[in-house]
Amino acid sequence: MDTRRALLSALESGPVSGPSLADELGVSRAAVWKAVEALREEGFAVESGDDGYVAPADPAYCAAGIEFGLDAPYAVEYHEDLPSTNDRARALAAERGADVAVVADAQTGGRGRLEREWVAPSGGVWVSVLTRPAVSPARAPLFTLAGAVAVADACREVGVDATIKWPNDVLVGDSDGGDGGNGRDGGNGRDGGNGRDGGNDEGRADPVDRGGRKLAGILTEMEGEADRVSWLVVGIGVNANLDPETLPAGATSLRAERGGDVDRRRFLARLLERYADLTADPDAILPSWRERTSTLGRRVRVETPGGTVVGRAVDVEPPGALVVETDDGRRRIHAGDCEHLRDAG
Ligand code: BT5
C-alpha cells in the first residue's frame, strides 16, 4: 500500500502519530509529512492535534474525501471539471488502468447513449467506474443494470423513491400503468415539495407524464476480446444538488425531490459500494434489478435498431434483454430506447 492510502486508512480509526506511522510503514517521517501535505492540497483538510494527525470532521468532495472510509475496491480520481468522465476512464483503460472511479464536479462534454448530450453542471454526481471483470463481453449489459440498481438504492437511502426504467434510466414519479407500487406518492414525499407541486413540471407535461422524471442515466462502454471483457467503463450521472431548471425538460434532481441537498461524498460512496457488491456476484444482479424496476408489467414502446416494438414488458432475461409480449408474439430486445405507455382504458 502506498503511504497516502495507508495514511488515509489509519486516519479512519482516530488520530495518527506521524512517527509511529512512519515506523509502521518503514518510510521516513518526511514521507508521512509529505503525504499529509498532499492530502491537504487535494482538499482533504487533515488537522494536527495533540495526538497526531486527525481526519477532517466533514471531508470535502475530493478524491481523498471519497476514498476515506470507502468500502469498495476503487481508487478515486477527482477533477473539478472534465469533458467527460467516461472519456477520461477510457484513456486510463488505454494506459492499462483498472479499478478506478473517475469523478468530476462538472462535465463540459458529458455524453449519453448514441452520442446524445448529457447536461452535467457543477453539483451533480458524475462518475465513471473502470474495471476489468473476468466475464464475456456478452455479459457486459449486466453491469449497466448493476449501475442502475446501485443508483436506485443510493437514492432511496437519501429518501428519494427512485425506480429503474429499462435499461439505464433512473426515474422518480413513474406511476402510470397499474403496477401500483411506485407512484407519485410512493414514499418520497418527505418535504411535500416534490412531484407535481414541485414547481419543476411546468411546460414539461409530456416527458413528465409519460414515464416519470429522469434523475439519472448510465452509459456503459467496453472493449472485448474474443470471450473476455478487456475493460469496462460504467458511466453514471445523477442529478444531485441541482435545480431542474438547469437541466433538460423532464429531468429532476435529488435536491428537488427531497427538498434539500445531499452529501455527495457519502452518496457516491454508497453508490460505489453497492456497485462493487453487485458486480462481485453477477448472478444476483437481475433479481435485484427486477425488484427496483417500473418497466415490468407496463405497456412499452421501444425504439430498437431494428424498428419499433410495442407491447407489454414481461421480463428481463440474462444478460439484460427486455422481453416484450406483442400482438405478434414475444420479442427479446437487447438495446433500445424504452418509453412507458399509459394502459389503454
Ligand atoms: C443516458 O443516455 O442516460 C446516459 C447518461 C450517462 C451520463 C454519465 S455522467 C458520467 C459519465 N460521463 C459521461 O460523459 N456520461 C456518463 P440516454 O439514455 O441516451 O439519455 C440522454 C438524454 O437524456 C438526452 O438526450 C437528454 O434528453 C436527457 N438528458 C441530458 N442530460 C440530462 C440530465 N442531466 N438529466 C436528465 N436527463 C438528461
Side-chain angles (χ1 to χ4, degrees):
M1 203 183 328
D2 63 23
T3 309
R4 174 183 175 281
R5 272 229 84 111
L7 173 61
L8 261 183
S9 80
L11 285 168
E12 278 169 32
S13 37
V16 175
S17 127
S20 52
L21 185 68
D23 283 351
E24 211 176 288
L25 298 178
V27 299
S28 68
R29 292 173 190 198
V32 171
W33 180 80
K34 262 175 86 176
V36 169
E37 282 303 302
L39 289 182
R40 286 175 174 158
E41 248 161 61
E42 262 184 53
F44 189 78
V46 179
E47 289 159 27
S48 305
D50 293 342
D51 302 326
Y53 298 117
V54 186
D58 185 16
Y61 192 58
C62 61
I66 297 162
E67 280 177 15
F68 181 66
L70 177 68
D71 187 15
Y74 310 124
V76 175
E77 188 185 286
Y78 179 88
H79 300 262
E80 288 299 324
D81 54 69
L82 274 180
S84 155
T85 54
N86 263 45
D87 291 349
R88 173 64 190 150
R90 292 177 66 129
L92 290 173
E95 296 162 14
R96 310 299 312 157
D99 302 320
V100 183
V102 178
V103 181
D105 176 45
Q107 294 180 117
T108 49
R111 293 185 288 115
R113 293 176 302 155
L114 306 171
E115 300 306 318
R116 292 177 190 130
E117 185 195 1
W118 182 259
V119 177
S122 166
V125 168
W126 322 122
V127 58
S128 297
V129 185
L130 166 66
T131 56
R132 297 180 183 275
V135 299
S136 79
R139 303 247 290 163
L142 274 176
F143 290 75
T144 303
L145 303 189
V149 172
V151 170
D153 285 355
C155 291
R156 289 174 184 199
E157 282 183 28
V158 296
V160 173
D161 191 23
T163 60
I164 305 167
K165 178 167 73 86
W166 182 87
N168 68 330
D169 286 354
V170 177
L171 306 179
V172 182
D174 187 18
S175 66
D176 193 17
D179 53 278
N182 45 27
R184 287 205 161 81
D185 318 317
N188 58 357
R190 272 195 171 176
D191 54 278
N194 56 14
R196 297 218 128 168
D197 315 321
N200 56 1
D201 291 358
E202 249 145 56
R204 300 179 179 169
D206 190 45
V208 171
D209 282 353
R210 276 284 175 73
R213 304 175 289 280
K214 183 160 170 168
L215 181 63
I218 297 169
L219 172 68
T220 298
E221 298 179 297
M222 61 147 221
E223 198 169 86
E225 282 145 24
D227 50 7
R228 208 188 136 124
V229 165
S230 165
W231 55 259
L232 177 82
V233 171
V234 174
I236 298 176
V238 185
N239 301 325
N241 302 333
L242 295 169
D243 291 324
E245 290 71 24
T246 63
L247 299 169
T252 191
S253 66
L254 291 174
R255 175 188 280 171
E257 296 296 333
R258 63 198 290 283
D261 284 354
V262 291
D263 179 338
R264 282 188 295 170
R265 191 184 75 82
R266 283 179 206 278
F267 178 86
L268 176 55
R270 281 304 293 145
L271 198 168
L272 293 172
E273 287 165 359
R274 276 302 280 145
Y275 180 75
D277 280 351
L278 286 157
T279 53
D281 181 14
D283 290 338
I285 295 172
L286 269 188
S288 302
W289 188 91
R290 284 194 188 96
E291 281 171 19
R292 291 160 182 79
T293 185
S294 53
T295 298
L296 297 183
R298 301 284 292 264
R299 276 180 46 74
V300 296
R301 177 189 296 124
V302 193
E303 305 294 341
T304 77
T308 305
V309 177
V310 178
R312 190 166 302 277
V314 292
D315 198 10
V316 168
E317 287 179 356
L322 187 67
V323 183
V324 179
E325 195 83 64
T326 74
D327 290 344
D328 309 321
R330 288 197 159 200
R331 294 278 304 274
R332 284 181 99 246
I333 303 169
H334 290 276
D337 281 313
C338 171
E339 186 185 5
H340 292 166
L341 302 176
R342 288 172 186 285
D343 261 321

